[in-house]
Amino acid sequence: MGSAKQNKPLPNDRRARLDEMRRQARARDRRNRIITVTASVAVVAALVVGGTYLFTAAEEKQKADAAPVEGVRTWKDLGREHVDKAVSYKMEPPAGGDHSPAWMNCNADVYDKEIPNENAVHSLEHGAVWVTYNSKAAEADVEKLSDKVSATPYSLMSPYKDQESPIALSAWGHRLEVKDASDPRIDRFFKQYVQGPQTPEPGAACTGGVGA
């Protein structure tokens, strides 16, 4: 029978090398853990800071959009009766009051001729914004506003020779007058008043009414 092999003790220099390799491996593991934890903390911190910034920015934008639009005139206690006759309105263009039983189509409709007040006012009752302009408005401004209305449901546009301002935007009980289409209040007016809280009949139709 052969004799069992006996483990021979490692030479001191080899044992020392193995101990050093193990020590270096443990050190690498500690460094890697520290790097991983540090990177994770940095990522989480960045996400928190970024999320806080985005939330704050969105909140500030929401507040700015909801703030009253400077220069908007308002009227209250406007009649809402359906009538089959011409109505004498207290403002030009009218921003509310008694009106025709038929609304003017206002599903991004642009008219190149004047439209009846009584039909347009019914559109305002449904939450539309009515853009009007006179001969003082620049052709480029008319084209720019036409493009905006054409892309915006619950809006309509038409010429209105008797208004004082080159351009006017009307919603039910509200009016903004501007000189040109570059006025930043125009976008804010659309955001606030297209189907806005002033709408007497939100969600009512803007199609199936009277067209040009």
Side-chain angles (χ1 to χ4, degrees):
M1 295 179 61
S3 59
K5 293 183 179 179
Q6 296 182 352
N7 293 329
K8 296 182 179 180
L10 295 173
N12 290 338
D13 58 343
R14 186 178 178 189
R15 184 183 297 111
R17 286 197 302 272
L18 288 173
D19 290 342
E20 177 62 18
M21 291 171 63
R22 293 190 185 103
R23 185 192 67 77
Q24 291 178 0
R26 289 193 296 269
R28 283 195 302 272
D29 290 342
R30 284 196 299 272
R31 286 196 301 272
N32 290 338
R33 285 196 296 271
I34 292 172
I35 291 171
T36 301
V37 171
T38 302
S40 299
V41 170
V43 169
V44 171
L47 290 174
V48 170
V49 172
T52 302
Y53 172 78
L54 291 175
F55 176 79
T56 302
E59 191 176 47
E60 291 298 324
K61 185 179 185 301
Q62 188 176 26
K63 288 180 179 179
D65 289 342
V69 180
E70 183 180 355
V72 172
R73 299 177 61 190
T74 60
W75 294 268
K76 296 182 179 180
D77 302 322
L78 298 170
R80 290 181 53 203
E81 296 295 327
H82 287 180
V83 296
D84 289 313
K85 61 180 181 179
V87 178
S88 179
Y89 292 102
K90 62 178 69 175
M91 74 293 282
E92 294 288 341
D98 295 342
H99 49 269
S100 169
W103 58 89
M104 203 74 194
N105 286 335
C106 48
N107 189 32
D109 290 280
V110 176
Y111 302 99
D112 57 8
K113 296 180 180 179
E114 291 199 13
I115 59 178
N117 286 337
E118 293 77 15
N119 301 112
V121 170
H122 197 152
S123 301
L124 301 186
E125 187 182 42
H126 288 190
V129 164
W130 182 19
V131 178
T132 53
Y133 60 94
N134 62 19
S135 59
K136 299 176 186 176
E139 185 176 344
D141 289 337
V142 173
E143 184 176 351
K144 182 176 181 179
L145 290 169
S146 176
D147 289 343
K148 184 171 184 63
V149 170
S150 297
T152 308
Y154 282 96
S155 72
L156 68 163
M157 179 174 172
S158 67
Y160 201 100
K161 66 179 180 180
D162 292 334
Q163 69 184 37
E164 294 183 4
S165 176
I167 297 167
L169 288 80
S170 301
W172 184 270
H174 296 75
R175 159 78 47 66
L176 174 66
E177 298 178 349
V178 298
K179 294 181 179 180
D180 57 65
S182 64
D183 194 310
R185 294 175 297 170
I186 292 175
D187 285 342
R188 292 188 58 206
F189 191 93
F190 269 79
K191 287 179 181 178
Q192 286 197 21
Y193 295 112
V194 170
Q195 283 287 287
Q198 85 292 339
T199 304
E201 297 180 3
C206 248
T207 59
V210 177

